[in-house]
Amino acid sequence: MDSHNPPVPPSKPPEKPPKKVAKSVEERPQNAHYSDVQRLQALALYEAGIPAAVAAERAGIKSAKTVSNIVKKAQSRGYDRNVSTVLKLEYVSDGVRSGRPRKADKKEANGTAGDAAVDIDQGRPPQSI
């Protein structure tokens, strides 16, 4: 043994970092859905003359391209700054999604989900036949 070199302790395997919860714009997953408030804010900022990249950052949206898409969608839904500067929720809200309705669980199928049954599709009490 060499007296000048101390023994090297055995190496430990690297520890896994804790899982992060996506909170900031950079950590947001690619297929993230933005709230109506974020979309409306981005549209308002953009229409006020703020560049799309800055509007995206301030509204918490991932990219300037997304802001451009929000503006295009609002225009296709009737928004025209030359006619009216009023921003309506209908310009930026999520569209109706097509596809199969969700499957009711056993409690809902038996009518024991709660005190008052509500028609999922219509948002009102079901009609008796």
Side-chain angles (χ1 to χ4, degrees):
M1 253 194 179
D2 193 11
S3 62
H4 297 288
N5 294 333
V8 178
S11 63
K12 295 180 182 178
E15 293 183 22
K16 293 181 182 178
K19 289 186 178 182
K20 292 183 179 180
V21 177
K23 291 183 180 178
S24 70
V25 175
E26 293 81 24
E27 296 173 352
R28 185 178 294 278
Q30 265 193 330
N31 61 351
H33 296 283
Y34 299 104
S35 70
D36 291 342
V37 173
Q38 286 176 297
R39 287 189 225 122
L40 201 57
Q41 183 180 17
L43 178 61
L45 290 168
Y46 183 81
E47 291 299 323
I50 295 175
V54 177
E57 183 181 339
R58 290 185 184 173
I61 293 177
K62 188 171 184 174
S63 70
K65 179 67 176 170
T66 303
V67 173
S68 298
N69 290 339
I70 290 168
V71 172
K72 286 179 189 176
K73 180 66 79 172
Q75 290 170 344
S76 73
R77 292 179 176 179
Y79 174 69
D80 185 0
R81 72 189 313 185
N82 298 322
V83 175
S84 174
T85 56
V86 175
L87 299 177
K88 298 178 182 176
L89 191 58
E90 65 192 45
Y91 297 147
V92 297
S93 62
D94 269 343
V96 177
R97 298 185 186 271
S98 62
R100 183 177 177 160
R102 68 180 182 91
K103 186 176 178 181
D105 63 8
K106 290 179 182 178
K107 287 182 180 180
E108 289 173 346
N110 293 335
T112 59
D115 296 335
V118 174
D119 187 346
I120 295 172
D121 294 328
Q122 302 298 323
R124 59 179 184 239
Q127 297 175 354
S128 57
I129 298 175

